[in-house]
Amino acid sequence: MNMGIYYFSGSGNSLHVARELQKGLPQTTLIPLVSLLNQPSVVTTGDAVGFVFPQHGWQMPVMVDEILQKFELHSASYIFAVATRGGTPCRAFLEMEKTLNRKGRNLDAYFVLTMPGSTQSLIKTFHEKINEERIARLETEMLTRLKEIVRIIRSREAYHDENLDGVDMPPVNHFMEPLVLSLARLAESNFIFYSDAKCKGCGICEKVCLAEKIKLVEDHPIWQKNVKCLNCFSCLNYCPEMAVQLKSSWYFKSYTPQNGRYHHSQITADDIAGQKISPDPVSG
Ligand SMILES: Cc1cc2nc3c(=O)[nH]c(=O)nc-3n(C[C@H](O)[C@H](O)[C@H](O)COP(=O)(O)O)c2cc1C
Ligand code: SF4
Ligand code: SF4
């Protein structure tokens, strides 16, 4: 009886959740999805398999969906997923079910956890959304919920989280939803990052870049155009000088130059960069 939890994390929220799950679930190995990017297929060995990832544009991150398609899940009699999010509606599990159904599998359990948003530094109301009091409250609520999630997973129960609507948001018009999902994907594929005069050439952005897109040239980061971004926002959130900015575009104004940054307090830049290294031996 062993379990593999496959995770992806940009500002540390999902890695923190994966580690907390591991504490409550014996014989569990954490496997970073980024370390599997170049593998032609991923064959699980655990009798239970979990996925923990951030919600991107109401959905699974593109990279998670791409890797999921390569999974062979014959060993697993129980499959679960946990999405962490900032607070919009969650449609990630619909997508995930579609990919799993094509393999003759489905999600036995899925859960959504609301945490501080890793893109909040883009928006005008950053200081309302990201402040110590709110971060502490969300962490306490998340840990309480996680105890129940651990119990459900330990007993291999079926569970479909019903709290998939937005937090403090009016319900979404179902006719508009496909448009919102497509626009979110379009926006994500066009994010442009740059470093400003505060950059000290420390190289942390290059280290945490999960796509190896950033290269330091003469002590300045270059975002290589020919490398696909994973939209993890680690470069933006882990730069100690807050020198990484997101460029405004015709469809949104970026407030990153005015705002602070967010990453989970228990997850370091080394932890984020560690996702590029496969755990040895890979099991689960
Ligand atoms: C590119 C991108 C898109 C995001 N889209 C959403 C979204 O649609 N809804 C939401 O509630 N949160 C969204 N978020 C916030 C993250 O889902 C949330 O902060 C998550 O906990 C981050 O986890 P991580 O630190 O493990 O990456 C987005 C974050 C990023 C980087
Ligand atoms: S992490 Fe920030 S300060 Fe360090 S090299 Fe990158 S942009 Fe410059
Ligand atoms: S460029 Fe930034 S957002 Fe894109 S993969 Fe690298 S660290 Fe993540």
Side-chain angles (χ1 to χ4, degrees), residues 8-15 53-59 84-89 113 115-119 188 191 231-233 262:
F8 171 57
S9 188
S11 68
N13 286 349
S14 308
L15 174 51
F53 53 81
Q55 178 168 306
H56 281 183
W58 297 21
Q59 301 153 84
T84 70
R85 65 164 173 187
T88 74
L113 290 170
M115 299 182 75
S118 54
T119 49
E188 278 179 35
F191 285 147
N231 289 322
C232 61
F233 275 47
Y262 168 79

Side-chain angles (χ1 to χ4, degrees), residues 11-13 16 115-116 139 142 238 262-268:
S11 68
N13 286 349
H16 175 57
M115 299 182 75
E139 176 77 6
M142 186 278 290
Y238 278 90
Y262 168 79
H263 65 74
H264 197 281
S265 59
Q266 294 175 41
I267 304 297
T268 65

Side-chain angles (χ1 to χ4, degrees), residues 31-252:
I31 304 136
L33 284 162
V34 168
S35 71
L36 307 171
L37 270 173
N38 297 323
Q39 294 205 8
S41 66
V42 182
V43 182
T44 62
T45 56
D47 80 302
V49 167
F51 297 90
V52 183
F53 53 81
Q55 178 168 306
H56 281 183
W58 297 21
Q59 301 153 84
M60 269 189 289
V62 174
M63 178 278 261
V64 175
D65 194 25
E66 283 172 3
I67 296 191
L68 187 61
Q69 294 178 32
K70 299 195 280 187
F71 266 74
E72 290 177 25
L73 292 146
H74 305 298
S75 71
S77 57
Y78 184 80
I79 304 174
F80 69 91
V82 181
T84 70
R85 65 164 173 187
T88 74
C90 175
R91 301 294 177 255
F93 307 122
L94 284 174
E95 250 188 313
M96 210 170 176
E97 288 278 29
K98 276 188 207 156
T99 304
L100 288 173
N101 288 168
R102 284 197 291 274
K103 297 174 182 291
R105 303 304 305 265
N106 62 285
L107 278 174
D108 296 290
Y110 57 73
F111 315 87
V112 66
L113 290 170
T114 303
M115 299 182 75
S118 54
T119 49
Q120 301 283 8
S121 51
L122 269 65
I123 64 169
K124 206 173 180 178
T125 53
F126 173 80
H127 296 285
E128 288 163 34
K129 301 276 186 190
I130 303 286
N131 55 59
E132 278 179 31
E133 192 189 331
R134 189 163 184 274
I135 291 173
R137 178 172 61 75
L138 288 174
E139 176 77 6
T140 306
E141 288 171 5
M142 186 278 290
L143 291 174
T144 305
R145 177 89 180 103
L146 214 52
K147 281 191 192 139
E148 176 62 2
I149 293 176
V150 164
R151 188 199 63 72
I152 291 168
I153 296 172
R154 278 182 90 120
S155 53
R156 307 291 196 257
E157 274 175 39
Y159 187 92
H160 293 173
D161 201 328
E162 287 176 0
N163 297 314
L164 303 182
D165 288 336
V167 180
D168 302 330
M169 272 178 74
V172 182
N173 179 326
H174 286 288
F175 294 107
M176 293 298 287
E177 203 169 294
L179 183 66
V180 174
L181 298 183
S182 311
L183 287 176
R185 281 284 188 251
L186 184 68
E188 278 179 35
S189 59
N190 287 298
F191 285 147
I192 296 175
F193 298 95
Y194 64 96
S195 64
D196 68 16
K198 296 195 290 296
C199 174
K200 295 219 167 84
C202 69
I204 288 176
C205 53
E206 183 186 46
K207 181 168 77 174
V208 297
C209 179
L210 295 178
E212 308 275 20
K213 184 175 174 69
I214 302 175
K215 282 281 160 266
L216 226 59
V217 178
E218 292 173 0
D219 287 343
H220 283 289
I222 304 292
W223 280 259
Q224 302 170 97
K225 286 206 171 75
N226 59 340
V227 180
K228 196 172 154 195
C229 177
L230 298 179
N231 289 322
C232 61
F233 275 47
S234 308
C235 52
L236 186 111
N237 283 314
Y238 278 90
C239 168
E241 308 300 329
M242 293 194 271
V244 177
Q245 313 298 346
L246 187 75
K247 207 171 164 186
S248 295
S249 163
W250 59 268
Y251 54 86
F252 81 101

